[in-house]
Amino acid sequence: MPSKITIEQVNQIVNNLHHNPFEILGCHLISERQRQKTWVIRAYLPKADSVSVMLPDSRRQYPMKSVHHPHFFECEIKTEKLDTYKLKVKEGKQEKIIYDPYKFKDSPITDYDIYLFGEGNHYRIYEKLGAHVIELDGVKGVYFAVWAPNARNVSVIGDFNSWDGREHQMSKKKDMIWELFIPDLDFGTHYKYEIKNWEGHIYIKSDPFAFSQEARPKTASVVSDLDTYPWQDQEWLEKRSKSDPLTQPVAVYEVHLGSWLHTSEEEPLKQYGARAEIVHASEYKPSARYLTYYELAEKLIPYVKKLGYTHIELLPLAEHPYDGSWGYQVTGYYAPTSRYGTPEDLMYFIDQCHQNEIGVILDWVPGHFPKDAHGLAYFDGTHLFEHKDPRKGEHKSWGTLVFNYGRNEVRNFLIANALFWFDKYHIDGIRVDAVASMLYLDYDREDGEWIPNEFGGRENIEAVEFIRQVNTTIFEQYPGILSIAEESTAWAMVSRPPYMGGLGFNMKWNMGWMHDILDYFSMDPWFRQFHQNNVTFSMWYHQNENFMLAFSHDEVVHGKSSMIGKMPGDEWQKFANLRSLFSYMYAHPGKKTMFMSMEFGQWSEWNINTDLEWHLLQFDRHKQLQKFFIDLNHLYKSEPALYERDFEGDGFQWIDCSDNRHSVVSFIRRGADINDFIVIICNFTPQPHSHYRIGVPRAGFYREIFNSDSRDYGGSNMGNLGGKMTDEWFFHNYDHSLDLCLPPLGVLMLKPEPIQQEEVIEENNIPEDFIDESVSLEEE
C-alpha cells in the first residue's frame, strides 16, 4: 500500500514539530471515483505495538501498518461514507479501544472569540480557554485550549497518556490558540501542557485557565465542573444589585482560612465532596489539619454572624504553591486553592455566608505573579504575561514578575478573572492588593532600575487604563458590589469613576489614617497632648476619597506586634486603649475592616502556621473585649448616623478638636435624616474628667447609647447614669450644652431622645428607663 505522506512529514509528528497535526493525523479523503471513496487514517501512538481501525457500523476491522516509523500507523479504507471509527490499540499484553482525537475537527472556539480576546474584550474567555467537558459528534470528552502564540509546539499531558507529550499534540489556530479535543476524558482528569519553544526547550506548565489544581506540592491542573452547584442565594444577589454599599454599614472581618482554626487529624473528616488528601496539611504538626470549606461554614460563619460583621474578607484563595506567601503569590488565577476542598465546596461556603446575611470579599492580586516553573512565568518560552525588560517586568524585592498591562490578551486574562469570581462564585467584592506597585513605574526601584513612560513620567499609564477597565466592567455587570483599593500613596481620585478621571474603585483603604492613629495610640498617653494632629488630621481629607478604615494582617506581622501589644500601660490600660481605638474607628467616617484575632486581644503576632489564641477567651478581659466588639458592631449597624453619610461633608462635624491639653475630641455624626445624629466624645488619657462640658445642636435628653468604659467590657464603669439633659448654657457656639463625666481612656456616644410636645423633662426627673447601672464620677 503506497503512503501518501513523506518521511519528513512523519518525522515532524514523531518529533513533535508540527503546528497542525490534523493535516497528517486522523481521517482524510484521498480519492473519489463515482460511488467509491478512498480514505486514509493515520495515527501516531508511541507506545503501541499494533493498531487496527474498527468501523462500528459495518462491524469491520482494518489492520494498520507502520509507515516510516514503528509507531506511526496508516491504513486505507474504501467506503462511501466514513463517519465513525475507533482505534483498537495493543500495548504489550494490554488492549484498549479508543476514539481517535484527530477525527474531531470541529472547534468550539470561534474566530470571533479569538478576535475579542486579541482586542482584550472577551470577558468570558474562561468559558473558551482552559479545559471543558463537552460533546462533539455525539462523543463526550474534554476540549483543551491554551494561549501560547510563540510556542513551536504544545501537547496535553496527563495521567491518561502517562505524561507523554508525543501522544496528544495540539493544533494551532489563528497563530494564537492551541487546541485539542480528547475523547472519553471527564471531570477529575489531571493534566498539564508541554510547551516547546523554537530552540527546542520544553516547559511543563499548569493551565492558566484551570478551574482547579492539585494540592501542593503537586501542581497539575484538574478538569472541574463549576456549573452544577445548586445556588440558594438569589434573594441576596437581587438585594445586592439594588443597594449602594456607600450608604450601607460595612464592617469587614478579614480572615486567613488556614490559620483561623485547625482541627485534630484524628477528627473524622467532614467530606461533603472534599477529599481528605486535598485538605491534609502535611507540613504542619501531625495532630492538626486545615478545616474544609464545609467545616468553615459550620464554625466561621456563625462566629462572624455573632460578632455582627457584615462581610468576611478572605485573603487570596486563588491557588498558590507557597503557604508562606499568604496567598499573594498566585499561580492559578482561576482555581480556588485546594487546601480546603473543591471548587464546589467553596461555593457552598459562600452560599451559606449569603444565607446568613454576610457578604464575601476576595483579596485579588493582579499586580504580580511568582516565577515558579509551572506558572505563568516565561509561559510559552517567551515573556508572554510579563515584560521582557526586568526594569518593567520584575519586583526584585518580592521575587515576582509584573504583568504586561499593555498587552491586550494579558489585560483580558485579568479582567475576565475578576469577573470570573463574581460569575462563578458569587463573591460580593474584591480588595485589590498593592495598587501602588501597579501605578508607579519606579515602585520599589532605585534610579536606573526603571523606565519612564512615553511622557517621561513615573506613572504606569497602561496599568491605569487596565484598572479603569476592570472597575468599569465589574460595576456594569454586577451593581452593588465592592471594589476596594489597597493604595498607599496620594494618587488622586482612586475611588472616583473613570469618567471623572478616577481609577474607578468605590473604596480605598485609608493608609494615612491607619499609620497616624497607630502611632498615636502606641505612645504614652501623657505625650498624646503634643500629637493631637494624629487624631484630627484625617478629617481634613476624609471626603477626598471613599475611605475604608482598615487594620489588616499587615499590622500584626513582621515584628510590628499584635494590636493589644502596641498599646501602652499596664494590662487594664492596654485593653482600655484598644477599646478606645476601635470605638474611635467606628465613630470616624469610613467603612471598617479588621483582621481576625483583634476582636479578642491576641497577644502574639499572627502566625500562619498556628491557630489563633482561642484559649485566651477563658480569661475575662479577652471575653469582655469580644463582647465589646459584638455590641459595637450591632450598634454600628443599627445607627444610620454612623454609616449613611460617611462620604458627605454634612455627615461629620467637629464640636471641639482643639482640647489637646486633655487629649479629648468631640464631634457629631449625622444620618440622611437631619434630625438623626450622634454625639461622640473621646478621652484618650487615663485621667477621667468630671463636669466636662460640650455644646450640642439642640436641647433635650441625650441617651448614652455606648460607653467603651462599661463594666461589661472590663472598664471602670464611669458614665452618665444612662444619659444627660442639656443645660441652657452657650458653649462651642451652641445655645445648649451637656455636663458630662468622661471615663478614662473612654469613648462615649450619645443620642438625643425625641421630646413630645406635652412632656417637659426636668434635669432631676429623668425617665426611669433611661437609667442604667453606670456610675458617675460625681457619685464616687
Side-chain angles (χ1 to χ4, degrees):
M1 178 185 68
S3 174
K4 306 299 181 183
I5 57 172
T6 66
I7 190 171
E8 288 79 10
Q9 290 174 304
V10 172
N11 285 336
Q12 281 186 305
I13 297 296
V14 169
N15 295 306
N16 201 352
L17 297 174
H18 204 294
H19 74 283
N20 184 12
F22 282 89
E23 291 181 357
I24 308 297
L25 303 176
C27 181
H28 301 268
L29 179 65
I30 58 175
S31 70
E32 184 174 6
R33 297 178 181 176
Q34 296 178 350
R35 297 182 179 179
Q36 186 69 46
K37 295 179 181 179
T38 302
W39 309 80
V40 62
I41 297 176
R42 305 188 189 98
Y44 174 54
L45 298 166
K47 294 183 285 293
D49 296 317
S50 64
V51 184
S52 299
V53 176
M54 301 177 62
L55 302 184
D57 292 341
S58 62
R59 298 183 179 180
R60 299 185 65 180
Q61 185 171 312
Y62 299 86
M64 302 183 78
K65 295 184 178 181
S66 298
V67 178
H68 300 311
H69 188 277
H71 300 296
F72 190 97
F73 301 93
E74 179 184 83
C75 77
E76 291 185 1
I77 299 175
K78 294 183 179 181
T79 180
E80 178 62 24
K81 190 175 182 181
L82 185 56
D83 291 332
T84 304
Y85 69 90
K86 292 184 176 182
L87 301 178
K88 184 178 182 181
V89 183
K90 186 175 182 181
E91 298 176 356
K93 296 182 179 180
Q94 294 184 342
E95 192 172 82
K96 60 183 178 180
I97 297 175
I98 63 172
Y99 283 103
D100 181 5
Y102 298 99
K103 169 191 177 296
F104 302 90
K105 299 180 180 179
D106 291 338
S107 175
I109 191 167
T110 66
D111 291 348
Y112 188 56
D113 289 323
I114 296 175
Y115 170 77
L116 287 177
F117 181 53
E119 269 196 337
N121 295 320
H122 199 314
Y123 297 144
R124 295 292 187 274
I125 190 63
Y126 52 83
E127 295 178 347
K128 298 292 184 175
L129 298 183
H132 303 275
V133 175
I134 62 171
E135 192 173 289
L136 284 182
D137 299 337
V139 177
K140 185 179 180 181
V142 177
Y143 171 73
F144 298 91
V146 61
W147 177 56
N150 303 308
R152 178 165 185 171
N153 299 91
V154 181
S155 299
V156 185
I157 57 176
D159 294 331
F160 48 89
N161 61 17
S162 302
W163 304 92
D164 189 340
R166 298 172 297 172
E167 193 160 329
H168 290 101
Q169 302 175 34
M170 304 180 80
S171 176
K172 193 174 187 181
K173 184 171 183 176
K174 293 292 182 180
D175 291 325
M176 285 183 65
I177 307 299
W178 296 84
E179 61 177 349
L180 183 66
F181 174 76
I182 302 180
D184 294 327
L185 297 186
D186 208 338
F187 298 115
T189 299
H190 291 60
Y191 71 99
K192 286 187 177 181
Y193 295 116
E194 180 185 284
I195 299 175
K196 184 184 294 184
N197 71 3
W198 286 89
E199 286 74 39
H201 299 296
I202 292 176
Y203 306 88
I204 307 299
K205 296 289 186 178
S206 302
D207 187 349
F209 286 90
F211 293 156
S212 181
Q213 286 189 11
E214 288 182 298
R216 80 273 181 271
K218 296 180 180 180
T219 56
S221 302
V222 182
V223 180
S224 300
D225 185 5
L226 303 186
D227 297 322
T228 57
Y229 177 78
W231 287 95
Q232 304 292 322
D233 64 347
Q234 283 308 309
E235 183 178 344
W236 169 271
L237 296 180
E238 290 174 10
K239 179 181 176 182
R240 185 189 73 186
S241 68
K242 299 172 183 176
S243 68
D244 178 7
L246 299 184
T247 62
Q248 299 295 317
V250 177
V252 181
Y253 187 72
E254 186 187 34
V255 181
H256 177 263
L257 293 180
S259 56
W260 184 76
L261 180 68
H262 293 81
T263 191
S264 171
E265 186 64 63
E266 286 72 36
E267 182 179 331
L269 180 69
K270 297 180 180 179
Q271 293 188 16
Y272 303 100
R275 298 187 298 276
E277 67 270 23
I278 280 183
V279 298
H280 181 71
S282 58
E283 68 263 40
Y284 299 143
K285 53 186 179 180
S287 61
R289 65 165 173 82
Y290 288 141
L291 296 178
T292 67
Y293 289 118
Y294 270 82
E295 290 169 326
L296 285 161
E298 291 180 354
K299 291 180 169 63
L300 176 60
I301 293 174
Y303 180 74
V304 172
K305 187 174 183 179
K306 177 183 176 182
L307 287 173
Y309 288 96
T310 63
H311 292 74
I312 295 174
E313 179 181 325
L314 304 172
L315 266 65
L317 282 185
E319 195 60 85
H320 51 283
Y322 178 48
D323 293 347
S325 76
W326 310 337
Y328 288 98
Q329 294 196 6
V330 179
T331 53
Y333 274 79
Y334 288 81
T337 181
S338 55
R339 287 166 174 81
Y340 319 118
T342 67
E344 193 169 83
D345 297 341
L346 174 58
M347 293 176 185
Y348 173 82
F349 173 81
I350 295 174
D351 197 8
Q352 289 299 304
C353 285
H354 290 170
Q355 292 182 49
N356 284 275
E357 300 292 314
I358 298 172
V360 178
I361 300 168
L362 187 64
D363 244 340
W364 188 52
V365 193
H368 62 124
F369 58 94
K371 300 177 182 178
D372 295 69
H374 69 281
L376 301 178
Y378 213 64
F379 185 76
D380 63 355
T382 67
H383 299 279
L384 186 64
F385 286 89
E386 70 273 22
H387 289 278
K388 182 177 181 180
D389 193 324
R391 293 175 296 175
K392 294 184 70 175
E394 185 174 358
H395 283 310
K396 291 186 177 180
S397 62
W398 295 347
T400 56
L401 302 175
V402 180
F403 284 105
N404 182 354
Y405 305 109
R407 185 160 194 165
N408 290 346
E409 298 90 348
V410 173
R411 197 167 61 250
N412 199 150
F413 171 81
L414 291 170
I415 295 171
N417 183 245
L419 289 165
F420 165 82
W421 291 100
F422 289 101
D423 176 24
K424 298 299 185 180
Y425 290 94
H426 294 199
I427 65 168
D428 303 285
I430 54 174
R431 176 265 191 187
V432 182
D433 177 63
V435 172
S437 73
M438 303 164 65
L439 295 176
Y440 297 99
L441 295 166
D442 63 345
Y443 183 86
D444 201 22
R445 293 181 174 93
E446 301 294 335
D447 291 343
E449 295 181 348
W450 61 283
I451 303 174
N453 62 35
E454 58 189 290
F455 303 107
R458 58 196 285 255
E459 299 80 12
N460 190 335
I461 297 172
E462 295 167 344
V464 170
E465 291 308 310
F466 157 71
I467 291 170
R468 287 172 173 166
Q469 188 178 358
V470 168
N471 284 320
T472 298
T473 305
I474 62 175
F475 283 120
E476 283 178 350
Q477 300 198 25
Y478 298 99
I481 56 95
L482 292 165
S483 180
I484 307 162
E486 186 214 9
E487 205 286 307
S488 55
T489 73
W491 188 285
M493 299 198 293
V494 171
S495 57
R496 298 292 182 265
Y499 67 80
M500 295 176 61
L503 294 181
F505 295 97
N506 61 353
M507 287 187 197
K508 171 186 173 176
W509 273 15
N510 194 337
M511 308 292 282
W513 174 86
M514 181 270 295
H515 288 295
D516 285 346
I517 207 69
L518 286 182
D519 287 345
Y520 182 83
F521 273 88
S522 297
M523 66 179 67
D524 187 290
W526 188 86
F527 293 102
R528 291 174 183 174
Q529 60 185 307
F530 308 112
H531 298 274
Q532 187 91 338
N533 188 57
N534 283 47
V535 176
T536 61
F537 179 65
S538 59
M539 298 309 180
W540 288 97
Y541 64 84
H542 80 90
Q543 298 174 61
N544 292 352
E545 300 279 1
N546 300 331
F547 281 119
M548 175 169 278
L549 310 180
F551 293 126
S552 73
H553 59 279
D554 283 325
E555 277 62 75
V556 291
V557 290
H558 303 321
K560 298 175 188 174
S561 185
S562 64
M563 290 295 284
I564 189 71
K566 298 178 197 291
M567 301 297 106
D570 58 23
E571 185 174 291
W572 187 93
Q573 290 186 355
K574 285 180 179 292
F575 278 89
N577 269 300
L578 198 61
R579 293 193 303 271
S580 181
L581 167 61
F582 281 108
S583 298
Y584 178 64
M585 173 189 184
Y586 272 68
H588 190 292
K591 309 307 180 185
K592 329 296 176 186
T593 292
M594 56 175 287
F595 188 55
M596 63 183 192
S597 80
M598 295 181 184
E599 76 277 9
F600 62 84
Q602 177 165 306
W603 289 102
S604 301
E605 287 189 350
W606 171 49
N607 184 343
I608 191 175
N609 295 324
T610 63
D611 290 347
L612 303 184
E613 296 177 341
W614 296 109
H615 64 278
L616 294 175
L617 287 172
Q618 67 184 302
F619 304 110
D620 287 342
R621 291 205 190 280
H622 298 275
K623 194 170 184 179
Q624 288 164 339
L625 181 62
Q626 189 184 60
K627 176 172 173 48
F628 161 83
F629 275 104
I630 293 173
D631 291 353
L632 186 59
N633 273 318
H634 283 89
L635 174 74
Y636 170 65
K637 292 189 296 184
S638 65
E639 293 294 341
L642 294 177
Y643 61 78
E644 277 186 338
R645 305 177 75 182
D646 274 327
F647 312 117
E648 300 177 25
D650 293 339
F652 172 87
Q653 181 183 351
W654 282 118
I655 295 175
D656 185 4
C657 63
S658 60
D659 188 7
N660 61 293
R661 187 167 66 91
H662 296 105
S663 297
V664 173
V665 295
S666 52
F667 53 92
I668 297 171
R669 293 298 311 277
R670 296 186 184 275
D673 181 349
I674 195 170
N675 293 313
D676 180 19
F677 67 90
I678 294 175
V679 174
I680 295 102
I681 312 97
C682 309
N683 175 19
F684 294 133
T685 72
Q687 175 63 48
H689 300 293
S690 61
H691 302 294
Y692 192 93
R693 187 166 294 277
I694 64 164
V696 290
R698 75 171 190 230
F701 184 80
Y702 282 71
R703 179 189 291 271
E704 189 176 273
I705 61 173
F706 183 80
N707 183 345
S708 70
D709 191 50
S710 167
R711 179 190 297 117
D712 292 340
Y713 313 141
S716 63
N717 212 40
M718 287 190 179
N720 295 277
L721 295 174
K724 277 293 187 74
M725 281 294 298
T726 57
D727 301 316
E728 195 171 338
W729 186 329
F730 184 83
F731 211 76
H732 290 140
N733 291 319
Y734 290 113
D735 292 331
H736 299 85
S737 57
L738 292 169
D739 179 11
L740 297 173
C741 168
L742 303 189
L745 294 170
V747 174
L748 301 177
M749 299 188 193
L750 298 101
K751 183 175 182 179
E753 289 287 333
I755 300 177
Q756 302 298 327
Q757 290 292 331
E758 65 274 10
E759 289 184 2
V760 178
I761 303 178
E762 298 295 335
E763 183 173 356
N764 295 321
N765 188 27
I766 301 171
E768 188 173 328
D769 63 315
F770 288 163
I771 300 174
D772 63 12
E773 295 182 358
S774 298
V775 179
S776 71
L777 190 65
E778 293 91 330
E779 286 188 319
E780 294 189 338

